[in-house]
Every structure is written in structure tokens, then in C-alpha cells.
Amino acid sequence: MKGEGKVFFLKSRMKWIGLVGLVLSALSLLVHFLLAGFTDDSISDYSIPVTLFSWRPVFDNPRFNRHTPLYRRLWGPTRHVESLLPYAIPRGYHSDPPARTNGFVFVRIQGGFHEIRNSIPDVVAVSRLLNATLVIPEIQSTTSSKGISSQFKSFAYLYNEEHFMASLAKDVRVVKTLPKNLKWARRKKQIPSFKVSYGSSPYYYLHHVLPVLIKHSVVELVVPNGGCLQAILPGDLEEYQRLRCRVAFHALQFRKEVQELSTKVLQRLRPLGRPFIAYDPGMTREALAYHGCAELFQDVHTELIQHKRAWMIKRGIVKGKLSVDSAEQRLQGLCPLMPEEVGILLRAYGYSWDTIIYVAGGEVFGGQRTLIPLHGMFENVVDRTSLSTGWELAKMYGREAKHKDVRPKTPPSVEEETKHDSSKSIRQRPQPLPPPPARPKYYNIEGWWGWVAESDNEPENTVIELRTNAHKLLWEAIDYVVSVEADVFVPGFDRDGKGHPSFASLVMGHRLYQSASAKTFRPDRKQTAMLLEEIRDHMYEANHTWITSVRKLLKRSILEGLVESSKRSKAFSFLSHPVPECSCIRREHRVSNVSLIEADLGVTHRCPQGMDGVAVQRSKDSKNAEREEELDEEDLSSSGFFFGHKESGGSSNSNNNETVNSEANNKEEGQLEDQEELEGGER
């Protein structure tokens, strides 16, 4: 009996242990599911410090001296426009929007990032001009994409809706959607619609759109070309220009996830507090096709550009011929500067091999192969992919549906078609098949560009490609923030595939408004091409005379390029040069700067008294720096072969005397160059 009781006790104990184990397992699964639901909010905070990136900065010297004449020449502010401050507040009578308006304006904006950003301020200005209620604009790059996150709809996919509406509360009435009755009418396509041309005049809106708006209480505006209001407005509409500035530089704030990742990328770009250069190649397929620059590339890339140019000619976008001499276009300054050429210019100007260069502006046509020479000259060439993880990008995209990238099948080969036809007509005694006709095989038809060899028509975008087009808006938003905040900005090209100002133009305009003294190179591409042509046969070796010419060209481009953009770029896009309408002169400014700021840039409005102290200390420092900069030091790139990295110990010691002699011989040349800069700025 005792033995049986003991066995019973052991069996019941095992049952209880098993039951407890099952309960604990169920609780464990429940906890795991709960944690998975809060992954985006909580675990991200713990993953940030241990995130791994593909970029590991390499520097010649970890210590970076910011108190040298060389640093001021390469990275310092432009003294001649330090007195220029942002000021987009209304300067005259500016009434609040009335409670009752003439109706609703519903807008659909087509195009890429820079076209969307250039169009929204125009749309807001038009809404105020028409005394209309603006419905939050619809961005078609997101509405046409399938599978993107349902968390963010259209405008909210890129920008912060609440901030946009709150910032414009005293300028325009803004609502998120149309009323139900008008929303139903729009779905039935019963509301009047206008496809607005680029740079339409205020007269067009007041005499063509306004009567229809008053009659129907709603109009739809389709903006396909990146702008719907002329860049330069009459003097009595100057307040509308400042409204554009308030929209572009204050109301248009990226949504929280984009802004947070942009901030992280900026922090990771400044290891040990070093400055960096933002470089926008501007090499898009559309821009290269529009300006006839196909022969800058080789093989299939030339075919792709020519195919796009033929498409543009067929639709009237391009008026010229299909075949254009790309070499002549390049010498006329109508083609982008290649990354290799930009690298040579920067090295000649004095930037060392360990300078950090951020490649912005979206994808570069030609891929990473085009950037290989730039990587060879600079060790720290990065982009958003090397400064962020896939997990961080996925968090910015939001929860997306899973889709397979199903592409149309490649057309069958001639041999397969012949075999298929022969199988249909089976004979008792089949005859031998004739040899297939000759078929050129210039291209690998398995690649994404294989259709060039097979068809004259481009394949339709797949679901994944449509989603990628929406992602590109977010990528360029990150690049935009980084470029605006960069210590130096270098544009490779400033025109898009329609001849209008591009991503780089908007960045330069934002930098001019926000911090006019930030160093921005605007090189004359025609003069640059002529200089580069001189050393075409020995591009990686240059004498001191050529380097001096390059430095003079780039120094002049900082100020002369600014004046030139006021005449050339502003005629197409106000946001590319929002001066003088959105700027003021600090009262305590240097007399020598009056000519440039007032005469050349046209800024005469004095800043309010409270803004005077913003740059007083900077002005005092610049007076001392002015004398020190006359003793501009020359680095090892003063002459000869200037693209090497760190030299070996023996060669470095043997060249010490040569370096000292080079600096002594070039001191006088450096003084002349700086004196030329001063004279150029004070004209």
C-alpha cells in the first residue's frame, strides 16, 4: 500500500509540473506577442547606440584645427554677405483670411521632390490671390503608388500636415478634405479642372480661374511641371513673394519620422566635429536627355538617354534634334560636371583626401560606377545608405504590404518562336528547320535595361517600382536637409529634365535665405569646362598655374555666381533666389559690403532692432580673420601630383624641404588671390 501511494503521489506531481510548464509557456508566448506590438516605439530607443553602419571614417589626423587661415578659406563663412539675414514677415498691411471665401481649391501635384516643393508655395499664393480655401494638396507620386504605408496619405507621406495648417493660419484657410458633397462630385468628375502651365501669370487666375471658382464653389488645379505661378511678380504683389518664403522655409516641415532620420544622418556625418561637403551631381536621365549629354556615357547608358530624348521630342518637350554633339554642349556649360571633374576641382582648391563628401540629390544616372573616380580621390565619400540602416529606413516608410516584383516576361527568341510555329504543323516527315535570321546581341537582355535591345517602348512600372518612386521622395527629403545644413555645398548641375531649376537650385535658395554666408560654390560650367580641357590628357597632374586658375574661378563663383543666379535662376524659380524680397540687412554692417548687398542683390530693407545682435560677434571675428586670410597657407596640393593620399614615412621626410620652399614661393600668390577676392566682393 505504501509503495502504491508513493507511485500515485509521483504521478500527480508530474502532472502538476507539466501543467505549470504549459501555463508558463503560454504566458511567455503572450509576452512575446505584446513586445512585438511595441517594437517600433520602445526597442528602437535601445538599438540606436549599437547600430552598425557601412561607413567607417578614415582621417589623416584625428585632431582638426579650426583656427587656421586654411580652414577659413575652405570652410569659413563668406564675409561679404554676413549682414544678410532671413526676414519673410509681412512688411505692410496683411489681413487674416476671411471666414467666408470664394470656394475651394483642390490641387493635384505631379512630379518629383523638387517639383513638389516648388509647386506648393505657388499653390498657397494662388489660393490667397483667389480668396479661396485650400484643400491639402494631393501628391500623385504617392497616390499612384501601390503598397506604401496606409499610415501616411498623399501630402502627409512627405510633410507634416498639422504644422502646415497651423503655420498658414494667418495667410490662407487650409482644410484637409473637401466637403462630402464636393468630394462626391469630384469622384464623378463633375467639378471644373484646369491643367496649369508652368509660370502662369496672376492675370490668368484672376480672369480665367476666379469666375469659374465663384460659379461652382470649387476648382481643381493640376500642376504637372513643378510650378504654377510666375517667378517674378509685380511690385504690388511683393507680399505674395514673402508668403512663398514662409511656406517653403517655415510651413513645409517634413513629417516626424523623416526629420528624425535626417537629424541622425547629420549627427553621424560630423565625427569628431569635422565639417563636410554636400555634393549634388544633378545627373538624372531626364536632364541628360533634355540637354543632349548622351555621349558623356558609354554603351547602354547612351542608348537609354537617347531613347528618353526621342520620347521628349515626340511630346514637344525638346525642340532640338535627336543627335547632339555632347562635347560641344559640355564646352558651352550645358551638361553636368562629372563626379571626376568635381573631385579634381575640390582637390585643386585645397580640400584634402580625407574630406567628408555627402552625395545628395537622389540616384545618380550610371550608378556607383560613375562615382568611382570621386571615391579614388576622397576616402570619405558617403550617402544616406551608408549612414542609415535598412531597419531605420523601413521605420520611416511605415508598415507596407508585401508585393512581388512581377515583371513582364522577356519576348521569346527567334529560335523559340520558330520551334513553336513548327510544332503547330506536325508532318509525317518533318523537314529540317531553316537557320534563324541574324540577330544582333549588343546588350545583355537579362538586365533591367534589356528592353532597349528588344523594343522601342519602355516597359510599364511594376508595383515595386511605383513604390520605389514614393520612397525616392523620402530619400531626397533626407538629402535636402543634409544639403541645407552642410558646411559647403557644390552643385554638379542646376537644371532638371524640363530646363527648370532642379534640386540643387532649391537647396542653394534655401541656404541663401537661411544662412547667406554659408559657403556655396556656383561655378561657371563653361569656364570650368575650358579649364578642364586644358589638362584632359593629364587630369591627375596639374601645374601651379592651373591650380591657381581653378582657385580663382571657385572663389569668384561664391559671389559672382550669387549675382548671376539672381538674373538667370530667379526668372524660372523664385525659391532658387528669394532675395531681396525675403531678406534684410543687419544695421551694424560693414560699409564695404553695401555695394554687393544693395547694388547687386537689391537688398535695402534694414532688419528690426532685435535682429542686430545675431551676427555681431561673427562680424568682429571676421575683421581679424580678414588680415590673417591674406597670409593664406598653401597645402601639399600647390603643385605637381596632388591626388595622393598619405605618403610613406621616408618620402614624407625627404619632401619636407620641398614643402617649405613651395609654401614660401606661393605666399605671394596666395596674397594676390585673397586681395582679388576682397576687390571682387567690394565692387
Side-chain angles (χ1 to χ4, degrees):
M1 292 295 292
K2 291 182 179 180
E4 291 178 1
K6 189 175 183 179
V7 171
F8 177 78
F9 175 75
L10 289 174
K11 287 183 178 180
S12 61
R13 187 178 181 184
M14 293 297 293
K15 288 180 181 178
W16 278 106
I17 291 173
L19 182 61
V20 170
L22 288 174
V23 172
L24 290 175
S25 299
L27 288 173
S28 176
L29 287 174
L30 181 62
V31 170
H32 277 81
F33 284 129
L34 289 173
L35 285 176
F38 293 99
T39 296
D40 290 346
D41 299 327
S42 57
I43 295 182
S44 61
D45 297 334
Y46 297 96
S47 64
I48 291 173
V50 295
T51 305
L52 299 178
F53 307 102
S54 60
W55 178 49
R56 289 293 176 269
V58 179
F59 300 124
D60 187 13
N61 186 355
R63 292 180 297 177
F64 191 78
N65 192 350
R66 293 175 173 267
H67 305 289
T68 63
L70 179 63
Y71 174 85
R72 279 186 287 273
R73 181 169 70 83
L74 298 180
W75 306 102
T78 306
R79 299 189 310 272
H80 308 291
V81 288
E82 280 187 323
S83 302
L84 209 60
L85 300 178
Y87 191 67
I89 300 173
R91 298 174 190 175
Y93 175 72
H94 186 79
S95 62
D96 292 345
R100 183 178 180 83
T101 62
N102 291 326
F104 295 88
V105 172
F106 180 84
V107 185
R108 288 190 291 125
I109 301 176
Q110 301 170 353
F113 175 85
H114 74 277
E115 293 169 315
I116 294 168
R117 192 168 183 90
N118 200 45
S119 299
I120 294 174
D122 288 2
V123 167
V124 174
V126 167
S127 298
R128 183 172 177 88
L129 183 68
L130 299 176
N131 186 23
T133 299
L134 174 65
V135 181
I136 290 284
E138 181 182 281
I139 299 175
Q140 287 205 283
S141 297
T142 60
T143 55
S144 62
S145 298
K146 298 179 181 179
I148 65 173
S149 176
S150 59
Q151 296 174 255
F152 318 107
K153 295 182 180 179
S154 192
F155 186 89
Y157 188 76
L158 187 58
Y159 294 110
N160 186 331
E161 279 187 352
E162 302 299 332
H163 179 81
F164 181 77
M165 297 174 67
S167 299
L168 299 177
K170 294 186 177 181
D171 297 304
V172 178
R173 284 197 64 201
V174 184
V175 295
K176 290 189 176 182
T177 59
L178 287 168
K180 289 185 178 180
N181 60 328
L182 296 179
K183 191 183 295 184
W184 179 87
R186 177 181 171 269
R187 289 174 182 171
K188 298 291 184 180
K189 296 184 179 180
Q190 296 177 354
I191 65 174
S193 179
F194 294 86
K195 190 171 184 178
V196 189
S197 61
Y198 187 85
S200 297
S201 67
Y203 178 89
Y204 170 80
Y205 290 102
L206 293 174
H207 291 80
H208 293 84
V209 179
L210 182 59
V212 178
L213 174 65
I214 295 174
K215 181 179 180 181
H216 295 273
S217 299
V218 62
V219 292
E220 181 182 46
L221 301 181
V222 180
V223 185
N225 297 316
C228 61
L229 184 64
Q230 68 186 43
I232 301 176
L233 297 176
D236 58 332
L237 297 178
E238 187 173 308
E239 285 300 334
Y240 287 85
Q241 301 288 55
R242 281 186 277 279
L243 174 58
R244 278 170 157 173
C245 290
R246 292 196 293 277
V247 176
F249 307 133
H250 299 280
L252 282 181
Q253 185 181 90
F254 297 116
R255 63 177 164 91
K256 179 184 175 182
E257 295 80 4
V258 179
Q259 200 68 40
E260 286 178 351
L261 185 53
S262 302
T263 304
K264 290 179 182 178
V265 170
L266 273 171
Q267 292 172 349
R268 294 161 186 168
L269 260 174
R270 299 185 187 274
L272 305 177
R274 285 176 173 258
F276 71 93
I277 297 173
Y279 161 54
D280 172 34
M283 294 170 57
T284 63
R285 182 183 170 204
E286 291 76 14
L288 293 166
Y290 182 88
H291 296 279
C293 306
E295 295 174 9
L296 297 180
F297 294 86
Q298 298 176 351
D299 302 329
V300 73
H301 294 96
T302 299
E303 292 291 331
L304 286 166
I305 295 171
Q306 287 296 83
H307 188 280
K308 176 61 73 173
R309 184 172 175 84
W311 180 87
M312 289 178 167
I313 292 174
K314 188 181 296 184
R315 283 156 181 77
I317 300 173
V318 174
K319 305 298 182 183
K321 300 178 181 179
L322 177 61
S323 298
V324 181
D325 187 350
S326 298
E328 182 62 27
Q329 291 289 96
R330 175 181 163 276
L331 290 175
Q332 294 300 318
L334 299 176
C335 288
L337 295 173
M338 299 297 285
E340 180 181 21
E341 297 172 337
V342 172
I344 290 172
L345 294 176
L346 293 176
R347 289 304 303 270
Y349 193 71
Y351 292 102
S352 61
W353 63 269
D354 59 352
T355 300
I356 302 172
I357 297 181
Y358 182 89
V359 181
E363 295 180 321
V364 180
F365 186 75
Q368 290 297 316
R369 185 180 69 173
T370 311
L371 297 172
I372 288 176
L374 186 65
H375 282 272
M377 285 180 269
F378 293 94
E379 189 70 29
N380 299 308
V381 178
V382 296
D383 58 16
R384 65 185 172 278
T385 59
S386 52
L387 293 167
S388 59
T389 64
W391 186 87
E392 287 176 324
L393 291 172
K395 181 181 178 182
M396 181 178 64
Y397 302 150
R399 298 182 183 275
E400 297 182 329
K402 293 183 179 180
H403 288 285
K404 293 183 179 180
D405 193 3
V406 182
R407 284 186 169 277
K409 294 184 178 179
T410 307
S413 63
V414 176
E415 295 177 357
E416 292 174 349
E417 288 181 351
T418 308
K419 290 180 181 178
H420 181 70
D421 293 339
S422 63
S423 64
K424 289 182 179 179
S425 55
I426 300 176
R427 302 177 182 178
Q428 293 180 352
R429 299 182 62 183
Q431 301 296 322
L433 297 174
R439 189 181 188 202
K441 296 183 179 180
Y442 299 129
Y443 309 107
N444 173 18
I445 61 174
E446 298 299 328
W448 63 268
W449 35 261
W451 55 267
V452 175
E454 301 291 343
S455 172
D456 291 335
N457 298 319
E458 295 191 26
E460 295 183 359
N461 288 330
T462 64
V463 173
I464 298 299
E465 287 171 340
L466 289 172
R467 178 192 288 180
T468 303
N469 289 337
H471 289 175
K472 286 178 181 178
L473 298 179
L474 305 179
W475 301 343
E476 293 193 42
I478 296 173
D479 291 349
Y480 185 86
V481 173
V482 173
S483 299
V484 170
E485 298 294 334
D487 299 273
V488 175
F489 181 72
V490 181
F493 202 49
D494 59 354
R495 288 289 180 268
D496 65 3
K498 297 175 183 176
H500 303 153
S502 64
F503 176 92
S505 296
L506 293 185
V507 169
M508 290 189 286
H510 197 148
R511 288 170 65 89
L512 177 60
Y513 171 81
Q514 179 175 293
S515 54
S517 61
K519 195 177 292 293
T520 302
F521 292 108
R522 296 176 174 85
D524 186 316
R525 288 187 298 275
K526 185 175 182 179
Q527 295 182 25
T528 303
M530 293 173 62
L531 277 175
L532 291 168
E533 201 64 27
E534 294 178 7
I535 60 165
R536 182 60 56 185
D537 298 331
H538 48 89
M539 291 186 69
Y540 290 90
E541 285 196 29
N543 56 37
H544 177 68
T545 303
W546 187 85
I547 294 175
T548 302
S549 300
V550 169
R551 291 187 176 183
K552 288 181 179 179
L553 174 68
L554 291 180
K555 283 181 179 180
R556 288 199 304 268
S557 75
I558 297 174
L559 296 175
E560 292 183 6
L562 178 59
V563 176
E564 181 64 25
S565 69
S566 67
K567 304 172 184 176
R568 187 167 55 91
S569 297
K570 189 171 182 176
F572 295 97
S573 171
F574 171 74
L575 295 182
S576 66
H577 192 88
V579 173
E581 293 87 350
C582 299
S583 298
C584 63
I585 304 177
R586 183 169 45 81
R587 293 177 182 274
E588 298 181 12
H589 63 82
R590 295 172 55 207
V591 178
S592 58
N593 294 341
V594 173
S595 175
L596 175 69
I597 296 178
E598 294 189 2
D600 295 333
L601 299 181
V603 182
T604 58
H605 187 79
R606 293 293 189 270
C607 297
Q609 195 68 32
M611 299 178 67
D612 288 347
V614 174
V616 172
Q617 185 61 40
R618 191 190 305 170
S619 176
K620 293 179 180 178
D621 295 340
S622 67
K623 291 179 181 179
N624 297 329
E626 190 175 318
R627 294 182 179 180
E628 294 178 359
E629 200 168 323
E630 292 178 1
L631 302 175
D632 190 13
E633 65 183 20
E634 297 288 334
D635 57 2
L636 292 176
S637 64
S638 295
S639 60
F641 187 79
F642 59 92
F643 294 107
H645 286 193
K646 291 183 291 185
E647 302 178 7
S648 60
S651 62
S652 176
N653 293 332
S654 64
N655 289 333
N656 280 343
N657 293 333
E658 294 179 9
T659 304
V660 174
N661 293 335
S662 175
E663 292 180 358
N665 293 334
N666 295 326
K667 181 181 292 185
E668 183 178 354
E669 184 69 30
Q671 292 175 351
L672 291 174
E673 290 177 26
D674 289 322
Q675 185 62 31
E676 215 172 75
E677 180 188 359
L678 289 173
E679 292 174 357
E682 295 172 0
R683 53 187 170 73

